[in-house]
């Protein structure tokens, strides 16, 4: 494997949920430890299953993996890290500032930005701890910091003057005066990330066009901020030996087409391919096989698929159609098929004669390409983050910046370059579409979960602010959050795959939504092999393993559940989208 050659001390694995970055990180850790290297594996993934992979209890303390000499692991819980981060920031100012000021700071620290920064804060301690790094030949991180996180840490560029002139100011990072102590450590961490002799980033993807396009964006974003030592691993490729099965042959063809159309920026990277394995990557035998050049024959399993008897997704759409209007939101991690499912649901409603507005807040979505045509009663739009951000930025400069001097305006302009500005700007457009759903159907294909939750944070903050102003008054008011919380007005569908990590991430998303007072209406398990009934020995083994995850979703998480089979052909175009929902192979 190319990415294993001449390894630096730090190795970061990044990629969407379900592409196998945890498996690859764990397999690499075992490979290096087997070669006699002392290795520390660190997970900052909120859906981390490193402990499950090694069948060991791993928590917030460095823990030796008893079955692998030279290997230790650590799981950083982002929620716990965020709680500790908030208390470290807010604790010293309680009783010293007015309660309203403390509440305001706590509000600033309640968002997803803070969780990102808190996780980064935890592993910057590892990156900059000279004594710890001397104990290990390599420290591997399952989940790299996002470009969003790094850009936050790079703002403001004029740290000294900004903090000095705004000693009581605050941002989503916390009170700026409190950050002054962290400045040097953060700068050291960013320097380590940017140094190719110390750090390598491994971009993990699947051989799918949408996934590769998103990885290309991630690659460019990280390169723009100085993280340029990147390698690409395309994980879980269908072997040509399985193509006697029509479904396996169709998957193989799609993957080869995606690889031939690899984005130019990814073509320039040193890359590796791993083959699709018949088993889940749990346990040392499976982990060691991932990076092995030796192929083992796959024996067809004797078991049969025993999926629950469920209505088709079309029946679910018929239930949602009864009120004649409303907001339908598809949520879930990137790569689970939200765009396709959103388009299919919108087509089904429009075919029934309803007026439907299909829209997306996802910068990676390609609704027009998915629909591949027009349909009566259906309009399509996209909230363009860049356009909305520029509109919002100009509005703030023309209002708040109007009376500032040159230095104050320059600082305001710098603050408006924060990624958080984009979330606020998109929220304004998002709110308008929520109101529109009182007249007809709006189907919203949302951005990947982290971005979506930032939108909901903004929605919640706005709601609480309005509620404070309206307290004690007899006036009626409705905020966007109230509409999201009303099941008569909004139905949230969680999309996932029948795999461990996507289900864990979807379950975490459901808990986050419930904390915001939003109860998901249904789950959709997309691209199910078990529902497609393959004949390939490899795919049959993987299909049998899906059953546990589908049972987990049906029994523990979903009030309503539909299963969409993996398709022989890409579900592009109105006819294929409509057929996607009517299949009921899960019975």
């Amino acid at each position: 494997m190319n990415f294993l050659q001449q390894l630096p001390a730090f190795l970061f694995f990044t990629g969407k949920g379900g592409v196998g970055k945890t498996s690859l990180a764990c397999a690499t850790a075992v490979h290096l430890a087997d070669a006699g290297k002392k290795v520390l594996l660190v997970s900052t993934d909120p859906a981390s299953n490193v402990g499950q992979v090694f069948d060991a209890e791993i928590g917030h303390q460095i823990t030796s993996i008893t079955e692998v000499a030279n290997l230790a692991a650590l799981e950083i819980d982002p929620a716990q890290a965020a709680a500790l981060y908030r208390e470290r920031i807010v604790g010293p100012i309680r009783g010293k500032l007015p309660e309203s000021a403390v509440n305001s700071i706590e509000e600033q620290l309640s968002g997803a930005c803070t969780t990102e920064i808190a996780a980064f804060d935890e592993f910057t301690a590892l990156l900059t701890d000279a004594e710890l790094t001397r104990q290990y030949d390599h420290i591997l991180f399952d989940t790299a910091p996002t470009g969003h996180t790094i850009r936050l840490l790079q703002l403001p560029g004029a740290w000294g003057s900004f903090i000095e002139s705004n000693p009581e100011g605050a941002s989503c990072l916390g009170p700026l005066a409190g950050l002054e102590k962290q400045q040097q450590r953060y700068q050291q961490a960013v320097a380590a990330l940017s140094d190719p002799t110390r750090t390598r980033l491994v971009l993990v993807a699947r051989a799918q066009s949408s996934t590769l396009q998103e990885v290309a964006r991630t690659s460019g974003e990280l390169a723009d901020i100085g993280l340029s030592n990147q390698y690409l691993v395309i994980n879980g490729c269908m072997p040509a030996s399985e193509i006697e099965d029509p479904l396996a042959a169709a998957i193989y063809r799609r993957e080869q087409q995606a690889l031939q159309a690899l984005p130019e920026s990814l073509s320039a990277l040193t890359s590796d391919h791993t083959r699709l394995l018949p088993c889940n990557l749990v346990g040392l035998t499976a982990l060691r096989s991932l990076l092995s050049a030796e192929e083992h024959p796959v024996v067809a399993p004797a078991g049969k698929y025993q999926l629950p008897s469920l209505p088709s997704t079309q029946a679910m759409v018929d239930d949602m159609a009864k009120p004649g209007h409303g907001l339908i939101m598809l949520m879930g991690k990137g790569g689970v098929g939200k765009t396709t499912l959103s388009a299919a649901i919108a087509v089904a409603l429009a075919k029934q004669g309803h007026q439907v507005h299909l829209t997306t807040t996802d910068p990676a979505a390609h609704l027009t390409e998915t629909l591949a045509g027009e349909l009566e009663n259906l309009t399509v739009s996209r909230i363009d983050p860049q356009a909305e951000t520029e509109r919002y930025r100009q509005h703030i400069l023309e209002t708040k910046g109007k009376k500032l001097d040159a230095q104050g305006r320059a600082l305001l302009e710098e603050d408006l370059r924060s990624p958080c500005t984009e979330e606020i700007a998109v929220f304004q457009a998002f709110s308008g579409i929520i109101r529109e759903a009182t007249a007809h159907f709006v189907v919203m294909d949302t951005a990947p979960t982290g971005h979506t939750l930032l939108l909901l944070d903004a929605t919640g903050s706005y709601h609480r602010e309005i509620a404070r102003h309206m307290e004690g008054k007899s006036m009626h008011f409705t905020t966007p959050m109230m509409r999201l919380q009303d099941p008569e007005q909004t139905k949230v569908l969680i999309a996932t795959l029948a795999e461990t990590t996507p289900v864990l991430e979807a379950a975490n998303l459901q808990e986050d939504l419930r904390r915001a007072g939003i109860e998901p209406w249904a789950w959709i398990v997309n691209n199910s092999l078990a529902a497609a009934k393959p004949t390939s020995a490899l795919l049959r083994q993987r299909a049998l393993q899906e059953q546990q995850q589908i049972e987990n979703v049906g029994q523990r998480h979903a009030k309503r559940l539909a299963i969409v089979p993996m398709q022989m052909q890409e579900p592009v175009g109105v006819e294929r989208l409509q057929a996607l929902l009517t299949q009921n192979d899960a019975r």
Side-chain angles (χ1 to χ4, degrees):
M1 289 285 172
N2 293 307
F3 81 93
L4 292 173
Q5 305 305 310
Q6 299 178 319
L7 278 179
F10 303 122
L11 193 60
F12 284 85
F13 295 83
T14 187
K16 296 196 301 186
V19 297
K21 63 179 181 297
T22 295
S23 300
L24 187 60
C26 292
T28 303
V30 171
H31 175 82
L32 293 173
D34 285 347
K37 303 293 186 182
K38 292 207 67 177
V39 180
L40 174 62
L41 173 63
V42 181
S43 174
T44 60
D45 191 333
S48 175
N49 61 332
V50 169
Q52 182 183 5
V53 169
F54 288 111
D55 191 24
E57 288 290 331
I58 301 169
H60 210 66
Q61 301 294 324
I62 294 175
T63 304
S64 295
I65 304 299
T66 54
E67 295 184 21
V68 185
N70 303 317
L71 178 59
L74 167 66
E75 288 181 319
I76 296 173
D77 180 350
Q80 182 182 351
L84 293 171
Y85 183 88
R86 280 192 293 271
E87 185 55 33
R88 192 169 69 245
I89 297 291
V90 177
I93 62 174
R94 284 199 181 97
K96 297 179 181 178
L97 290 179
E99 186 177 349
S100 60
V102 175
N103 291 340
S104 175
I105 291 168
E106 287 182 326
E107 181 84 12
Q108 295 266 187
L109 293 170
S110 65
C113 287
T114 302
T115 302
E116 283 188 32
I117 295 300
F120 185 83
D121 189 64
E122 291 278 337
F123 67 68
T124 53
L126 300 175
L127 286 170
T128 57
D129 186 335
E131 183 178 346
L132 180 70
T133 55
R134 277 195 296 270
Q135 296 177 36
Y136 297 97
D137 296 302
H138 302 288
I139 300 181
L140 278 55
F141 293 89
D142 170 25
T143 300
T146 65
H148 178 267
T149 303
I150 302 298
R151 288 198 305 276
L152 283 172
L153 294 174
Q154 291 174 332
L155 290 170
W159 276 88
S161 61
F162 192 91
I163 292 170
E164 185 178 342
S165 59
N166 294 270
E168 294 182 3
S171 71
C172 61
L173 304 180
L176 295 170
L179 289 176
E180 191 171 19
K181 298 174 183 176
Q182 304 293 95
Q183 178 189 0
Q184 185 177 2
R185 197 178 85 186
Y186 286 168
Q187 287 176 336
Q188 290 174 353
V190 172
L193 287 166
S194 306
D195 183 351
T197 66
R198 299 168 67 192
T199 297
R200 177 172 297 171
L201 277 95
V202 180
L203 305 172
V204 187
R206 289 279 176 90
Q208 301 163 347
S209 296
S210 60
T211 305
L212 292 169
Q213 291 289 343
E214 185 160 330
V215 168
R217 277 186 291 276
T218 299
S219 173
E221 185 180 55
L222 294 172
D224 287 344
I225 52 181
L227 281 68
S228 57
N229 188 19
Q230 301 177 8
Y231 283 63
L232 175 67
V233 176
I234 299 176
N235 201 22
C237 296
M238 175 66 68
S241 58
E242 297 293 320
I243 60 174
E244 289 186 9
D245 176 353
L247 179 60
I251 294 170
Y252 179 81
R253 283 194 303 272
R254 287 206 298 262
E255 289 183 348
Q256 293 305 306
Q257 289 169 359
L259 293 173
Q260 288 169 11
L262 198 67
E264 187 176 341
S265 60
L266 296 183
S267 298
L269 299 180
T270 302
S271 64
D272 294 293
H273 294 186
T274 68
R275 65 187 181 280
L276 185 68
L277 297 179
C279 58
N280 287 327
L281 284 164
V282 174
L284 294 176
T285 301
L287 289 174
R288 287 180 173 125
S289 69
L290 180 61
L291 299 179
S292 169
E294 185 179 355
E295 286 197 43
H296 299 282
V298 181
V299 179
K304 294 183 179 180
Y305 312 120
Q306 305 244 338
L307 293 179
S309 178
L310 296 169
S312 67
T313 314
Q314 179 64 53
M316 190 179 283
V317 172
D318 293 342
D319 281 346
M320 291 189 290
K322 290 176 182 176
H325 65 87
L327 175 65
I328 298 169
M329 297 181 71
L330 271 291
M331 290 193 179
K333 274 290 191 182
V336 298
K338 295 190 306 297
T339 298
T340 300
L341 292 171
S342 299
I345 289 168
V347 164
L349 291 168
K351 285 279 190 179
Q352 292 181 13
H354 298 287
Q355 290 295 321
V356 183
H357 179 182
L358 172 62
T359 188
T360 181
T361 62
D362 188 348
H366 302 286
L367 284 177
T368 305
E369 291 89 339
T370 301
L371 284 165
E374 297 182 355
L375 181 65
E376 189 178 357
N377 302 323
L378 179 63
T379 59
V380 180
S381 71
R382 173 174 174 258
I383 297 174
D384 184 339
Q386 286 187 319
E388 297 298 337
T389 302
E390 184 57 31
R391 188 179 297 117
Y392 175 80
R393 187 181 287 123
Q394 290 303 319
H395 172 72
I396 295 299
L397 288 172
E398 289 168 7
T399 53
K400 291 187 176 181
K402 189 175 182 180
K403 297 181 180 179
L404 294 176
D405 60 19
Q407 182 183 13
R409 188 176 175 86
L411 288 170
L412 178 61
E413 287 179 346
E414 184 169 17
D415 192 43
L416 287 170
R417 286 197 292 271
S418 163
C420 301
T421 301
E422 179 179 305
E423 304 300 339
I424 296 168
V426 173
F427 162 66
Q428 292 188 341
F430 174 76
S431 299
I433 289 177
I434 291 176
R435 288 192 297 271
E436 189 183 321
T438 58
H440 52 252
F441 281 108
V442 174
V443 180
M444 182 174 286
D445 166 33
T446 66
T449 302
H451 291 167
T452 302
L453 291 178
L454 286 174
L455 281 178
L456 294 180
D457 284 341
T459 309
S461 298
Y462 175 79
H463 167 76
R464 289 187 288 273
E465 187 65 25
I466 292 295
R468 278 195 294 269
H469 282 292
M470 301 299 291
E471 192 172 358
K473 299 179 182 179
S474 58
M475 293 174 63
H476 174 75
F477 68 96
T478 302
T479 67
M481 179 58 91
M482 292 167 68
R483 288 193 170 99
L484 292 177
Q485 292 169 335
D486 184 352
E488 296 298 319
Q489 298 189 57
T490 300
K491 290 181 172 58
V492 173
L493 310 182
I494 293 180
T496 189
L497 304 176
E499 299 172 12
T500 304
T501 300
V503 169
L504 277 171
E505 290 173 338
N508 289 338
L509 168 61
Q510 178 159 271
E511 289 307 306
D512 286 327
L513 289 168
R514 284 172 171 167
R515 280 192 288 272
I518 300 169
E519 183 62 33
W521 192 77
W523 283 49
I524 301 176
V525 173
N526 195 25
N527 282 336
S528 169
L529 278 171
K533 298 183 171 60
T535 58
S536 153
L538 186 153
L539 293 185
R540 285 188 64 197
Q541 282 205 15
R542 293 189 65 85
L544 283 170
Q545 291 170 10
E546 284 187 357
Q547 292 186 170
Q548 182 180 356
Q549 293 303 323
I550 291 172
E551 288 173 9
N552 183 23
V553 171
Q555 294 173 10
R556 296 182 55 194
H557 301 303
K559 292 182 177 179
R560 298 174 184 83
L561 173 63
I563 302 174
V564 176
M566 182 170 283
Q567 303 296 297
M568 292 277 290
Q569 296 177 301
E570 288 284 357
V572 173
V574 170
E575 290 185 8
R576 289 183 191 171
L577 288 169
Q578 192 171 16
L580 187 71
L581 302 188
T582 56
Q583 296 180 37
N584 199 17
D585 301 45
R587 288 195 176 203

